[in-house]
Amino acid sequence: MANTVLSVFNLTKTFHLEPIFEGVSFQLNEGEKVALVGANGAGKTTILEIIAGLEEPDTGGGTVVRARGTRQAYLPQEVAGFGSLLGGPAPAPDATLWDLMLDTLGEVRDLQREMNRLEEAMSAPGAPQTGPAWDRLIAEYEAVTERFEQAGGYDLEHRIEQVLEGLGFKPRQFDTPLAQLSGGQKTRAALARALLSDPDVLLLDEPTNHLDLTAIEWLEGFLQTWRGTLLCASHDRRFLDKVTTRTLDLEFGTLESYPGNYSKYLLLKAERMERRLAEYEAQQEQIAKTEEFIRRFKAGQRSKEAKGREKRLKRLERLHAPRNRETLKLELQAHLRSGRTVMATEDLEIGYRGVVPDPAGGPPGDLLLARCPDLEIERGERVALIGANGTGKTSLLRTAIGELPPLHGQIDLGHNVDYAYYAQAHEGLDPTNRVIDEILYTLPMTEESARNLLARFLFTGDDVYKRVGDLSGGERSRVALAKLTLLPANFLLLDEPTNHLDLGAREALEDVLSEYQGTLLFVSHDRAFIDSLATQTWVLDNAVIEAFDGNYSDYQEELARRRREAVGAELAPAASRRPGTPGARPGKGAPAPLTPREEQRRREEAERAAQRAKAAAARKLQEVEQTIGALEARLNLLSAELDAASAASDIALVTDLGLEYQQLAEELEQKYGEWEKLAS
């Protein structure tokens, strides 16, 4: 049975006399990966902050108990500074990203300093090379060296590089001063620090917010093989499905636990809600029958029985009707039918003019972000644009709508195309306006109509009079989406439309966009969102855009196919790549020519043998392909396990895994050779 590392008992928290949650209790077992889900504002962040010690529950409102010696690390949604996260003083003003990572591994660095001191003592002029003092020095050095090796000291720099690069930092950024990091980079740096600290309990609040797809998938692989305990609040459904094995649902101030990942939780919750509704309706029916009996017989011959039923009815613990959380109610319509071609590019290069300084003092040069081949988007298509952060995805959208002139070539919108643009940072919103003003300025209407519209986006009561600048990220996203529904566009360009939206809002947006009759070009890091919508996927990599048919999963399958072909070509025997086959050298004493009947019989036998050989080869090819797939999957898993074992300084496990990896790699190479022979 797994040991409990953290227990939460009866947590209660109130803000401005309004209860956020009450009586929240749960436990985390050693090695568990647990998701914390719920709508924005439900209190997920508050629970994480209470566990992290950054927030206090109400007076007498519960406790958090950790197993003795438990170490924990916490990653907030946004990181402004690193002082509180380091559990001590803030880093030095000139500290770099690399310094921050080294400070995380303080114990290992202390051991390294101690090793250096002992080495200097042993090599100092006049130091004795024999005797008791020398023996003590050697014994101390051996003990410190062993502890340093067990703590992964010899792999220290490699571990840091692996985590930083996995989270999207380039080697040239390792020496960047912390003061120069952007908000998103600071959050990624804090995540890297949390992972490197190798805590017993890791608390993550929306860890994928500032990660691109490559970094998200790296983090998934890291957490899948990491042996610690995880409690994670996230709105990334694919991430939760791949990483977590239990789900805590925080709704209407109470918390319920479900076994399984996010997809399993949705099924189990629907079943639980259906069962509770049936129980509630059955009780209501029984109550109605009892009340009718009491009404009919309370004053008659059966009054005693009626009064008894009335007493039991008063003592009955009544069930509450299950409540459903309010979700967005969106409607999008393309009022005008566009031409067949909605957007087309020709020799397009996107970027910024005159922003690169000339070392020789000449005029500044242009910054090229991406080259785009000649591409078209046809009416009704849904194109997902993906790529690493900072590669130019937003710049492409801005170029398409004319906000950014192309460096070269052109990008044209087609006949009858009426576009609308959703900006990632909500630049289209005026922070000084009230929420209701944003709606009234977009489309004149009565205040009552504006309030009715905003209610569909979960703004009720005095919420409509809040200043846009005072709203949370999720609230600003809902205002921007509300404005989007008022525009009669038939071409939507959406830049990270799911950012800051909770799970229910993301699913509602998916539903309405899947029914939208117009055309979409959207940027997103949400793989589930892309898979549900995209008919094309444009990948921006190495300053070039490449188009793939299908959604994100289809794109991944195409990449895997290309990798298999590339590896097969590399492993193909040299002889199989040489054109032509050597002819048979005629020998002396050639046999007598065959009769026509004998030639016919031999041809038929040769054809039957060839058919049997072809069928056998096809079966063997299928078997080899299945074996290759299994070996590749196992090698991918072993690679992740090796990384985790190396990070944990588990030398014995690294040795065992490395031996297995080598054996499987050799077997895979052999199978590729078989596959090449069979395929050719």
Side-chain angles (χ1 to χ4, degrees):
M1 185 175 178
N3 297 323
T4 299
V5 295
L6 187 142
S7 299
V8 172
F9 297 107
N10 294 318
L11 282 192
T12 298
K13 186 66 178 178
T14 303
F15 283 126
H16 304 300
L17 303 179
E18 288 291 330
I20 304 301
F21 49 77
E22 186 175 3
V24 166
S25 299
F26 61 90
Q27 292 182 331
L28 298 180
N29 294 325
E30 188 176 6
E32 264 197 311
K33 309 290 193 301
V34 181
L36 178 61
V37 302
N40 287 340
K44 304 185 298 297
T45 293
T46 303
I47 287 178
L48 292 175
E49 289 178 340
I50 290 174
I51 296 174
L54 302 177
E55 184 67 64
E56 293 291 333
D58 291 348
T59 303
T63 56
V64 177
V65 179
R66 299 170 192 83
R68 182 174 298 178
T70 297
R71 297 174 299 113
Q72 71 180 24
Y74 168 59
L75 176 77
Q77 286 191 36
E78 302 290 340
V79 175
F82 296 100
S84 61
L85 294 174
L86 290 169
D94 58 347
T96 66
L97 177 63
W98 189 263
D99 294 332
L100 180 67
M101 299 302 111
L102 287 176
D103 286 342
T104 301
L105 303 167
E107 181 182 355
V108 181
R109 295 189 73 195
D110 291 342
L111 291 171
Q112 190 175 42
R113 294 189 188 99
E114 182 65 10
M115 285 172 56
N116 293 337
R117 184 189 69 79
L118 293 170
E119 288 169 355
E120 290 175 1
M122 289 188 292
S123 60
Q129 301 296 311
T130 58
W134 175 258
D135 292 340
R136 285 194 299 271
L137 198 61
I138 290 295
E140 186 178 358
Y141 182 75
E142 289 177 348
V144 172
T145 302
E146 183 179 0
R147 288 170 56 199
F148 181 74
E149 183 177 356
Q150 291 175 347
Y154 292 113
D155 197 33
L156 180 67
E157 292 190 356
H158 174 67
R159 288 165 57 194
I160 294 175
E161 290 171 354
Q162 183 185 53
V163 171
L164 287 178
E165 290 182 12
L167 294 177
F169 288 103
K170 304 298 182 185
R172 64 177 183 274
Q173 298 175 303
F174 292 174
D175 293 325
T176 302
L178 296 178
Q180 295 181 14
L181 296 179
S182 66
Q185 288 174 327
K186 287 179 180 178
T187 302
R188 284 190 283 135
L191 175 57
R193 175 197 170 273
L195 299 180
L196 285 168
S197 68
D198 194 26
D200 301 302
V201 177
L202 181 60
L203 309 170
L204 300 181
D205 194 358
E206 298 293 347
T208 65
N209 269 2
H210 297 282
L211 302 182
D212 58 34
L213 286 168
T214 301
I216 291 172
E217 290 174 347
W218 178 88
L219 180 61
E220 286 173 352
F222 182 95
L223 293 175
Q224 284 170 345
T225 57
W226 181 63
R227 297 182 180 180
T229 301
L230 172 71
L231 179 61
C232 175
S234 177
H235 292 147
D236 189 321
R237 294 156 289 177
R238 190 69 57 86
F239 178 82
L240 293 178
D241 271 349
K242 290 193 173 183
V243 172
T244 62
T245 56
R246 183 158 67 98
T247 303
L248 301 177
D249 180 24
L250 184 61
E251 190 173 47
F252 302 119
T254 61
L255 187 104
E256 293 187 327
S257 179
Y258 294 83
N261 60 15
Y262 181 74
S263 294
K264 182 67 172 177
Y265 144 77
L266 289 178
L267 295 174
L268 294 175
K269 182 175 181 178
E271 293 173 359
R272 185 178 291 183
M273 294 293 285
E274 185 177 354
R275 184 172 63 252
R276 287 177 176 171
L277 180 60
E279 292 170 352
Y280 169 77
E281 290 176 344
Q283 188 186 65
Q284 290 297 304
E285 183 179 353
Q286 184 60 35
I287 290 172
K289 290 180 179 179
T290 303
E291 289 175 341
E292 175 63 16
F293 182 90
I294 294 168
R295 185 188 65 78
R296 291 180 60 189
F297 298 109
K298 189 173 183 180
Q301 294 181 348
R302 304 177 66 180
S303 60
K304 187 175 182 180
E305 181 182 355
K307 290 177 181 178
R309 291 194 183 189
E310 187 175 29
K311 289 180 181 179
R312 289 195 296 273
L313 189 60
K314 289 180 180 179
R315 293 196 299 267
L316 177 67
E317 183 177 350
R318 304 208 174 196
L319 301 175
H320 297 287
R323 291 192 290 173
N324 291 314
R325 181 165 48 89
E326 289 290 326
T327 59
L328 297 185
K329 299 178 179 62
L330 293 86
E331 293 181 5
L332 283 170
Q333 294 183 359
H335 299 282
L336 180 67
R337 180 181 173 89
S338 71
R340 179 178 177 182
T341 299
V342 173
M343 190 184 90
T345 68
E346 182 178 352
D347 297 329
L348 178 66
E349 294 181 357
I350 62 171
Y352 294 87
R353 295 188 184 280
V355 296
V356 180
D358 183 359
D366 298 337
L367 174 62
L368 173 66
L369 293 176
R371 292 183 174 89
C372 184
D374 295 349
L375 295 173
E376 284 190 355
I377 300 178
E378 295 188 353
R379 182 179 59 244
E381 283 197 298
R382 301 164 185 167
V383 180
L385 176 61
I386 65 174
N389 290 336
T391 54
K393 302 185 298 296
T394 296
S395 298
L396 176 62
L397 297 187
R398 294 182 59 218
T399 303
I401 62 175
E403 286 188 1
L404 184 66
L407 296 179
H408 182 266
Q410 60 188 44
I411 182 168
D412 297 313
L413 300 183
H415 178 64
N416 278 345
V417 171
D418 191 359
Y419 72 84
Y421 176 52
Y422 178 97
Q424 178 180 356
H426 307 129
E427 293 91 343
L429 301 180
D430 185 340
T432 64
N433 277 344
R434 301 177 304 172
V435 172
I436 196 168
D437 295 334
E438 285 290 328
I439 300 302
L440 295 174
Y441 294 160
T442 303
L443 183 68
M445 63 181 74
T446 65
E447 183 169 323
E448 181 182 2
S449 297
R451 292 182 67 99
N452 290 336
L453 171 69
L454 286 169
R456 289 163 39 202
F457 290 83
L458 311 184
F459 291 101
T460 57
D462 292 339
D463 291 343
V464 302
Y465 301 118
K466 289 181 178 179
R467 297 288 175 185
V468 170
D470 297 331
L471 300 179
S472 68
E475 289 172 327
R476 287 196 301 273
S477 294
R478 285 190 271 127
V479 175
L481 286 173
K483 292 181 62 175
L484 194 69
T485 64
L486 297 176
L487 302 174
N490 53 26
F491 182 32
L492 299 181
L493 299 98
L494 311 177
D495 194 359
E496 297 288 0
T498 62
N499 273 9
H500 307 295
L501 296 182
D502 58 36
L503 291 164
R506 291 186 183 208
E507 290 162 359
L509 180 59
E510 269 178 26
D511 291 341
V512 72
L513 289 177
S514 65
E515 299 295 328
Y516 177 61
Q517 298 299 310
T519 307
L520 297 178
L521 173 60
F522 64 96
V523 174
S524 180
H525 290 149
D526 187 329
R527 291 158 295 172
F529 185 78
I530 297 172
D531 273 353
S532 71
L533 292 175
T535 58
Q536 270 196 73
T537 301
W538 290 2
V539 182
L540 205 170
D541 186 34
N542 292 323
V544 175
I545 295 175
E546 184 177 4
F548 295 83
D549 287 333
N551 58 23
Y552 184 75
S553 295
D554 297 326
Y555 157 66
Q556 289 291 307
E557 289 178 7
E558 173 63 16
L559 287 188
R561 186 190 66 79
R562 292 183 181 185
R563 284 193 293 266
R564 287 195 298 269
E565 288 184 353
V567 172
E570 290 176 3
L571 298 178
S576 70
R577 293 194 291 266
R578 287 198 294 266
T581 56
R585 230 173 9 184
K588 295 180 180 179
L594 300 175
T595 66
R597 180 174 295 180
E598 288 174 333
E599 287 182 354
Q600 177 68 18
R601 180 173 56 80
R602 288 198 178 186
R603 280 197 301 268
E604 291 173 353
E605 287 179 355
E607 288 175 1
R608 287 194 293 269
Q611 290 173 355
R612 289 194 298 270
K614 185 176 180 180
R619 290 193 298 271
K620 183 63 176 176
L621 183 63
Q622 185 177 11
E623 293 173 2
V624 171
E625 286 177 344
Q626 291 173 350
T627 303
I628 287 174
L631 287 171
E632 287 177 336
R634 178 57 184 157
L635 281 171
N636 289 336
L637 181 60
L638 276 176
S639 179
E641 291 176 351
L642 272 167
D643 292 342
S646 176
S649 304
D650 191 335
I651 306 302
L653 183 57
V654 167
T655 302
D656 292 341
L657 292 174
L659 181 60
E660 183 181 356
Y661 190 96
Q662 182 179 359
Q663 292 171 344
L664 289 179
E666 292 173 355
E667 185 179 351
L668 179 61
E669 185 172 351
Q670 178 187 357
K671 291 298 179 184
Y672 274 132
E674 290 182 31
W675 182 88
E676 180 68 23
K677 292 177 182 178
L678 291 167
S680 61

